[in-house]
Amino acid sequence: MPYHYLIALGSNQRHPRHGPPPQVLRAALAAMAGAGLVVEAISPIIASAPIGPSRRRYANAAARIATPLDPPALLALLQSLETRFGRVRRGQRWGARTLDLDIVLWSGGPWHSKTLTVPHPRFRTRPFVLGPAATVTPDWRDPSGTCTIRHLHARLTRPRPTPR
């Protein structure tokens, strides 16, 4: 029986073969399928402002996939794809990158190890993750609460009253 995962995709660097970031994400989805992952749903690709020191805007998307791989094995596969796309891990967080593939949620509930935490620790605060995720897994629930992805996205993006 396969596991189901929500994967966040991001890119803010042009790839010499695949082109600009939106094309990098499309190529990454094809590479994921070529690596044996069943891509069940793909969100639209959106543009978002960078976090941290990077100045380039990101292309972001989300995919719902199925695979028999457990979280550590899937992480290893996703990191090998990032490396194939030219990602170099220099220890700096939030820098420019050709491809970023994050495991956000999976059908097995919470997971924690030295190298991986699922759900992704910051996904609840990131509209560039929750927006695309709400299009492919709107009814999935946050395992640490009762909210669905759709509700988390609505809470995060609802207009706030302007202080007087």
Side-chain angles (χ1 to χ4, degrees), residues 87-105:
R87 175 151 182 197
V88 178
R89 295 181 184 276
R90 295 187 183 103
Q92 179 188 17
R93 296 183 92 160
W94 304 310
R97 59 196 61 168
T98 307
L99 181 61
D100 187 27
L101 301 171
D102 289 331
I103 299 171
V104 179
L105 293 169

Side-chain angles (χ1 to χ4, degrees), residues 31-120:
M32 290 166 67
L37 304 177
V38 177
V39 180
E40 298 177 324
I42 304 166
S43 75
I45 295 172
I46 64 166
S48 66
I51 293 177
S54 182
R55 294 196 171 148
R56 296 180 181 144
R57 291 186 61 78
Y58 272 83
N60 294 101
R64 187 181 69 233
I65 65 161
T67 178
L69 299 175
D70 66 8
L74 179 60
L75 178 64
L77 177 85
L78 295 177
Q79 288 180 339
S80 73
L81 290 174
E82 289 175 341
T83 300
R84 271 186 30 206
F85 275 72
R87 175 151 182 197
V88 178
R89 295 181 184 276
R90 295 187 183 103
Q92 179 188 17
R93 296 183 92 160
W94 304 310
R97 59 196 61 168
T98 307
L99 181 61
D100 187 27
L101 301 171
D102 289 331
I103 299 171
V104 179
L105 293 169
W106 78 307
S107 57
W111 177 278
H112 183 73
S113 68
K114 283 198 278 186
T115 57
L116 178 63
T117 300
V118 180
H120 190 285

